[in-house]
Amino acid sequence: MGPQPTGQGPYGQGPYTQGPYGQGPYGGQGPQGQGPYGRPGSYGEGPYQEGPYPQGPAGQGGPYTQGGYGQGSAGYRPPGYGQPGGYGQPGSYGQPGGYGQPPYGQPPYGQPPYGQPGYGQPGYGQPGYGQPGYGPFGPAPEGQRPAGQGPSGHGRAGHRRGGQRRGGQRRGGKRRTVAISITAGVLAVVVAVAVVAVTVLKHGHSAPATGMIPTGSTPQEDGQQIAAAFLSAWRAGDLKQAANYTNHPAEARAALATYAADLHPRQMTATTVSVTGAPGSTAARPRESVRYAIGVSVAAKGGASAVRGTWSYHSSLVAYQQANSSIWFIEWQPDVVAPNLTATTHLAAVEITPTVGVVTDATGQNLTDYQDPGLTHIANLIMAAGAPPGQGTPGLDVEIVTDAGKPVPYSQAVVIQVGNVASIATTISQTAETAAQAAVAAHPESSMVVIQPSTGDILAIANNDGYNDFALTAEVAPGSTMKVITSTALFNAGLLTPESPVACPAAYTVQGITYHNDQGESEPAGTPFITDFAQSCNNAFSTQWPHLYGALASTAKQYYGLNQDWDIGITGLSASYFNAPATASVSELAQEAFGQGQLIASPIAMASVAATVANGSFKQPILVPGTKQVTATPLPATTDEYLKEMMRAVVTSGTAAPIGFGPDVYAKTGTADIQGQEQPNSWLIAFDPEADIAVGCLVVDAGYGAQFAGPEVKAFLDSF
């Protein structure tokens, strides 16, 4: 199998535009009509209620459970006209803490011009309220019944909500701006007012199935009441009731459900900011624009691990009185729940991964300064993947998304500001990296990895192979460097020692396949196994296949940490840098014993093999300090001693002797024939225990390990 370059990393640049809060539709400044998400400082008006959505009793007249809603079969029930609790009575709206001062039934309420004569003259609860207009007899026809005259001759006659005003007059003076906070305490007051007012004024009249009959003394108060009821039901999670206050309940309920599914809301608060006349409002059919502030805890997903923050924004709705009726509705539009929404868009909460500004070596030098394409690619992968776990803090945005899932430009509202990481320092050593780059410059298609055996820290990744980064991405047979793992399996099984006699025939046939040693070499019977290893005679290993069923794959994993994915510190990316199929048998197993067949390896994996022998136990290679490392069983002390003895023999009397390594170097050469290549791949792994250093080097399509990879490793060790 030839070398296979890895493609560019899967990590793209963060798709979420970091539009500031003051830009685009979510961050306009100023009052209503100028950037619906509110002016700076306006968010959070009104206290945010802690705790989950209160669950109002469904099916009991809506979310209000105080006073009278939900009581009795018809929803609205006594106290009746003139009973305690009515307007002007003890505990009524006119008492301190009630809904507005001074009390209803006393000046200025009850004075002209909002109806003739005013509320409380002779007072609510007296015969006459409930004549044509308010009450069960329906609205008074236009121009009929003089002011103050009902069939009983008492009370206020024919008062129509949004229909005629007796004498054509409205309450004098400038329209008032109403600011009501719907929070735990104030909401109870609002609810109580609504209950008392409805029961007093609407004795014997059932609540409408949709919409609401408010009880305010002005259109502004009526608009505010239905808006407050809608927001309260929404806040309580009673989406059906909230939707029923609108003129399109099915559409509203679907939109509110989508909001809940998209944002996973909790702890919602709603504060009515202002009530003003809406365009098109008339005395006969008043329309009120209600501006309100929302504060809601949102998340991109459910569960305790989700990033959650409070999103604060302003929106508005229009409440209107139905013609020839006392019923008010909220005019449903998609942007009632949040500004700028349409029928083809919805909201989405998006977690923002913290980014990394720069990736450096252990001394703080930018990795890209080394101008190694492979190292630069690795740095880009780390940056694209975002901050490693435990570094930086994730952010949270809310944005508008089309039905096709495409974010609307400049619609992002920042809920939690992302905490990016200025830089990430890797384990790369400036000294080791410089030496490795100089070493691999000797041959094209050359790659090298340098590891510190005692820690697993990757000290150098050097490539002279364009953008291939074969140091990590090569997937080629390891050649005779695999004989370290094969020998480990045989030693652990107690089958051989370095002094055990093992012949190496010039040719060996199994299942009709004949394996020849290079240049017809052979070793006679009685040759010590250490000599076979030092001279790298293949058939001394292929003949051991009957003892290796499952052993090569299991040894590679159990003692060398191979045959499984490693996360070396590139967030979100892990890979297996070595693979030995566990199902290999007979002829395939015979090939794998000397490093051919279906084996796949890269320089980082084989450098780790050398480091494991050097240290006596596996330390998974890592590029970013603190990365969690895969563990493995330490080599048995005797096995490790045997391996060191044999790898030293390679340097003193074996295939690496001509290279001229120093007295503290242990090595193993490798030469892997690759079908379709003119030359074999050249390998050499080595370690120097005194320097706490291990190296793996691969030169693709070059020749013998001792002729190409070996001199590069020596050049590195000499200059390190």
Side-chain angles (χ1 to χ4, degrees):
M1 177 180 298
Q4 299 178 359
T6 297
Q8 296 303 312
Y11 305 105
Q13 296 304 314
Y16 306 113
T17 303
Q18 297 295 317
Y21 222 124
Q23 297 181 15
Y26 274 56
Q29 305 293 324
Q32 181 179 11
Q34 299 184 23
Y37 272 67
R39 56 192 180 279
S42 63
Y43 293 177
E45 296 179 27
Y48 288 179
Q49 179 176 329
E50 296 296 322
Y53 274 31
Q55 299 299 315
Q60 299 186 24
Y64 300 123
T65 58
Q66 307 292 328
Y69 275 51
Q71 305 298 322
S73 60
Y76 300 122
R77 282 295 181 263
Y81 295 98
Q83 300 302 319
Y87 280 141
Q89 301 301 324
S92 73
Y93 279 48
Q95 300 307 314
Y99 193 67
Q101 306 291 336
Y104 284 77
Q106 299 182 23
Y109 292 92
Q111 300 299 328
Y114 196 79
Q116 308 289 335
Y119 285 21
Q121 300 207 14
Y124 283 180
Q126 300 300 324
Y129 203 84
Q131 302 304 323
Y134 261 77
F137 298 105
E142 290 289 343
Q144 296 189 27
R145 292 189 176 82
Q149 299 285 329
S152 300
H154 297 286
R156 186 177 166 204
H159 179 67
R160 293 186 63 218
R161 311 302 296 129
Q164 74 189 82
R165 307 293 184 186
R166 306 314 304 163
Q169 299 183 42
R170 297 179 60 86
R171 178 174 175 79
K174 185 179 178 180
R175 282 192 165 188
R176 297 177 302 142
T177 296
V178 181
I180 302 296
S181 176
I182 305 175
T183 54
V186 178
L187 178 59
V189 175
V190 175
V191 173
V193 172
V195 173
V196 173
V198 171
T199 40
V200 171
L201 296 177
K202 300 301 169 190
H203 177 64
H205 189 75
S206 298
T210 59
M212 177 183 177
I213 302 176
T215 62
S217 60
T218 65
Q220 294 99 317
E221 291 180 0
D222 287 343
Q224 184 278 137
Q225 281 189 21
I226 189 170
F230 167 78
L231 294 172
S232 181
W234 182 19
R235 184 195 66 79
D238 190 347
L239 305 187
K240 179 180 179 181
Q241 181 59 57
N244 282 346
Y245 289 123
T246 74
N247 59 345
H248 293 292
E251 294 178 19
R253 188 174 184 183
L256 294 173
T258 298
Y259 183 101
D262 291 341
L263 302 185
H264 306 277
R266 297 179 185 171
Q267 300 171 305
M268 178 183 281
T269 63
T271 304
T272 304
V273 175
S274 63
V275 182
T276 56
S281 179
T282 65
R285 190 177 182 186
R287 293 167 56 83
E288 301 297 329
S289 178
V290 182
R291 182 172 171 77
Y292 55 90
I294 293 290
V296 56
S297 174
V298 299
K301 59 185 179 182
S305 64
V307 176
R308 180 170 290 279
T310 297
W311 179 35
S312 301
Y313 64 95
H314 283 183
S315 194
S316 62
L317 57 82
V318 172
Y320 70 90
Q321 184 176 357
Q322 184 173 265
N324 301 319
S325 171
S326 300
I327 301 175
W328 280 67
F329 289 93
I330 290 171
E331 186 173 81
W332 181 255
Q333 297 291 339
D335 61 2
V336 167
V337 295
N340 300 308
L341 287 178
T342 68
T344 60
T345 60
H346 61 95
L347 296 171
V350 181
E351 287 189 18
I352 308 300
T353 301
T355 61
V356 176
V358 64
V359 180
T360 72
D361 64 16
T363 65
Q365 179 176 333
N366 193 328
L367 288 189
T368 61
D369 291 346
Y370 289 103
Q371 297 183 345
D372 180 286
L375 202 59
T376 297
H377 179 58
I378 292 168
N380 290 338
L381 284 176
I382 293 175
M383 293 177 64
Q391 297 191 42
T393 55
L396 183 67
D397 285 0
V398 172
E399 63 185 7
I400 299 177
V401 179
T402 67
D403 285 347
K406 183 179 180 180
V408 175
Y410 307 110
S411 70
Q412 289 72 30
V414 177
V415 178
I416 298 176
Q417 187 68 47
V418 64
N420 294 322
V421 177
S423 65
I424 288 182
T426 66
T427 57
I428 295 295
S429 160
Q430 189 177 62
T431 301
E433 182 65 30
T434 301
Q437 286 191 0
V440 299
H443 304 102
E445 303 302 313
S446 177
S447 299
M448 181 180 293
V449 173
V450 181
I451 297 172
Q452 186 175 57
S454 62
T455 62
D457 288 354
I458 300 172
L459 303 182
I461 298 174
N463 297 276
N464 184 23
D465 55 10
Y467 290 89
N468 289 320
D469 187 20
F470 284 157
L472 302 185
T473 66
E475 295 182 336
V476 296
S480 292
T481 59
M482 180 65 184
K483 292 172 182 175
V484 175
I485 297 176
T486 304
S487 298
T488 302
L490 295 170
F491 292 157
N492 285 347
L495 297 171
L496 296 176
T497 71
E499 302 304 322
S500 297
V502 179
C504 184
Y508 177 71
T509 301
V510 57
Q511 285 189 320
I513 300 174
T514 301
Y515 301 103
H516 298 272
N517 293 325
D518 183 55
Q519 297 182 351
E521 66 178 320
S522 65
E523 298 290 346
T527 300
F529 185 55
I530 190 172
T531 301
D532 296 322
F533 185 91
Q535 298 301 321
S536 204
C537 194
N538 287 345
N539 282 334
F541 292 84
S542 61
T543 56
Q544 303 301 315
W545 70 264
H547 309 300
L548 297 174
Y549 275 100
L552 291 182
S554 63
T555 298
K557 182 175 183 179
Q558 182 177 354
Y559 296 99
Y560 291 94
L562 302 170
N563 255 24
Q564 59 189 314
D565 286 351
W566 293 348
D567 175 5
I568 65 172
I570 304 174
T571 305
L573 178 64
S574 60
S576 176
Y577 300 95
F578 176 97
N579 183 63
T583 57
S585 63
V586 196
S587 61
E588 170 61 27
L589 199 55
Q591 291 184 75
E592 292 182 9
F594 59 86
Q596 297 279 172
Q598 297 183 42
L599 293 174
I600 292 174
S602 61
I604 188 174
M606 301 317 294
S608 179
V609 169
T612 299
V613 177
N615 190 57
S617 61
F618 167 71
K619 298 289 184 181
Q620 183 210 303
I622 56 171
L623 188 59
V624 177
T627 302
K628 185 177 180 180
Q629 294 169 282
V630 170
T631 60
T633 304
L635 289 168
T638 300
T639 297
D640 188 49
E641 180 183 346
Y642 288 166
L643 293 172
K644 285 184 170 71
E645 181 182 350
M646 296 209 303
M647 291 182 71
R648 182 58 189 162
V650 173
V651 172
T652 58
S653 60
T655 54
I659 298 173
F661 285 120
D664 297 321
V665 177
Y666 300 71
K668 181 69 190 79
T669 58
T671 304
D673 291 321
I674 305 298
Q675 185 175 0
Q677 285 187 189
E678 293 185 7
Q679 299 292 333
N681 291 336
S682 175
W683 281 94
L684 189 134
I685 61 175
F687 65 87
D688 181 342
E690 294 299 318
D692 194 17
I693 204 86
V695 186
C697 182
L698 166 68
V699 184
V700 175
D701 197 9
Y704 289 109
Q707 293 178 335
F708 293 89
E712 288 191 4
V713 173
K714 183 179 186 300
F716 167 79
L717 293 175
D718 288 348
S719 61
F720 175 70

